Amino acid sequence: MNPGSLAAGALEKRHMPKVWRYTLSYAVLLPLLFLVHLPLLWMVVTAFKAPGYGTKLDFIPSPGEKMYTVENFRQVFFDKDFPFYRFAWNSFVVATGCALITVALCTAAGYAFAKKRFPARDLIFAALITIMLVPGLIFMVPQYRLVLKFGWINTYWGMILPHTGNIFGLFLLRQHIRGLPDSLLEAARVDGASELGTFFRIIVPLSVPVMITLFLLTFVGQWSNFLWQLIVNTPDSPYLTLPVGLSLFQGQYQTEWEKMMAGACFSILPIAVLFTISQRFFIQGLTAGSVKE
């Protein structure tokens, strides 16, 4: 028998299990991928449906039937009774402001808990981590009373400041900064760097991936925040955000699903763009400190 044929047969047998393994993997993953994207697909299809077709499972129109239209997007974007651009701007201001303040506070506090010595440091940090076990809804009533007392109803401050104390962000930055070599900080001090100089020239540049990760997580959370922004705004407030504004399509007797989904299609665009641009930093930030060298 030809030795080349034997070698080819052995190679084919060796690769067969790998082919079947890939086939089985794709056979399982593709249906799961479809299920994960099904809500997104339903949202996009519903956004293009004519009024009255949003809750129907019909997707192929009958001859002469006008099932799909772009009128929903036109009404959402240009209807004077629905200030879409104002809602979107308010969401952008709240999400960006909250994310920036959160990153600044968590980076400074993370540096203090990671590299500074002060009485009861570890005890205070443990107490803060324990707060993460408490459901966020528990804090909603005292937060609302504080916002009401400070006169922050129908203001940006009432929507931004109560969510800037991010314990998870503090933990994320503290763990990252704790892994930075102390020799870098000592070398900066020997060169005459002040405390602020050490922080901004050493800690901040080395923490950029983690800071971007925290910014993205906070931005997404506040961009889609509905309940708190509904509570601290009255129905006639000029500071209503996009999630609250989209809920206006839900009336007492009917819901305009087609217009709501048209607005929702736009609401996911900023998040998709941010994650696409910052994907490398996001993954790098989440895995920072996971490998010890």
Side-chain angles (χ1 to χ4, degrees), residues 52-242:
Y53 288 93
T55 56
K56 295 181 179 180
L57 296 179
D58 299 332
F59 300 102
I60 301 177
S62 303
E65 184 181 18
K66 189 177 180 182
M67 182 180 294
Y68 296 100
T69 178
V70 295
E71 185 67 18
N72 299 321
F73 291 93
R74 191 193 67 80
Q75 292 184 8
V76 166
F77 292 152
F78 303 110
D79 190 351
K80 295 181 180 179
D81 296 329
F82 184 78
F84 176 83
Y85 296 104
R86 191 181 72 195
F87 294 155
W89 172 252
N90 290 337
S91 289
F92 177 79
V93 171
V94 172
T96 304
C98 187
L100 290 175
I101 296 175
T102 297
V103 170
L105 291 177
C106 290
T107 305
Y111 172 58
F113 279 107
K115 297 298 184 182
K116 294 300 176 182
R117 300 286 180 182
F118 53 88
R121 182 191 68 173
D122 294 336
L123 181 62
I124 295 173
F125 183 74
L128 291 173
I129 294 299
T130 305
I131 296 177
M132 293 178 64
L133 302 175
V134 181
L137 292 175
I138 301 296
F139 301 106
M140 193 163 292
V141 173
Q143 283 178 336
Y144 178 78
R145 289 184 63 88
L146 288 174
V147 168
L148 187 63
K149 187 173 182 178
F150 290 140
W152 288 347
I153 299 296
N154 293 337
T155 64
Y156 284 135
W157 296 116
M159 292 184 283
I160 294 175
L161 291 184
H163 293 93
T164 54
N166 192 323
I167 306 300
F168 171 74
L170 170 62
F171 173 79
L172 191 67
L173 267 302
R174 185 252 190 183
Q175 293 303 106
H176 168 72
I177 297 174
R178 191 180 183 185
L180 298 179
D182 292 334
S183 57
L184 291 175
L185 306 182
E186 294 170 0
R189 295 189 184 101
V190 169
D191 289 340
S194 63
E195 196 64 52
L196 286 177
T198 302
F199 177 74
F200 285 108
R201 295 179 182 178
I202 304 297
I203 300 298
V204 171
L206 293 175
S207 303
V208 167
V210 184
M211 294 168 65
I212 291 177
T213 301
L214 180 59
F215 179 90
L216 289 175
L217 293 174
T218 307
F219 184 92
V220 171
Q222 294 308 310
W223 178 268
S224 58
N225 191 339
F226 170 77
L227 184 59
W228 178 254
Q229 295 168 4
L230 175 67
I231 291 175
V232 297
N233 283 293
T234 57
D236 59 342
S237 172
Y239 299 101
L240 293 179
T241 55
L242 193 54

Side-chain angles (χ1 to χ4, degrees), residues 24 33 155 201 221 231 247 265 275:
L24 182 61
L33 181 67
T155 64
R201 295 179 182 178
I231 291 175
S247 68
C265 284
F275 271 96

Side-chain angles (χ1 to χ4, degrees), residues 175-176 178-181 287-293:
Q175 293 303 106
H176 168 72
R178 191 180 183 185
L180 298 179
T287 58
S290 60
V291 179
K292 265 195 166 183
E293 298 183 358

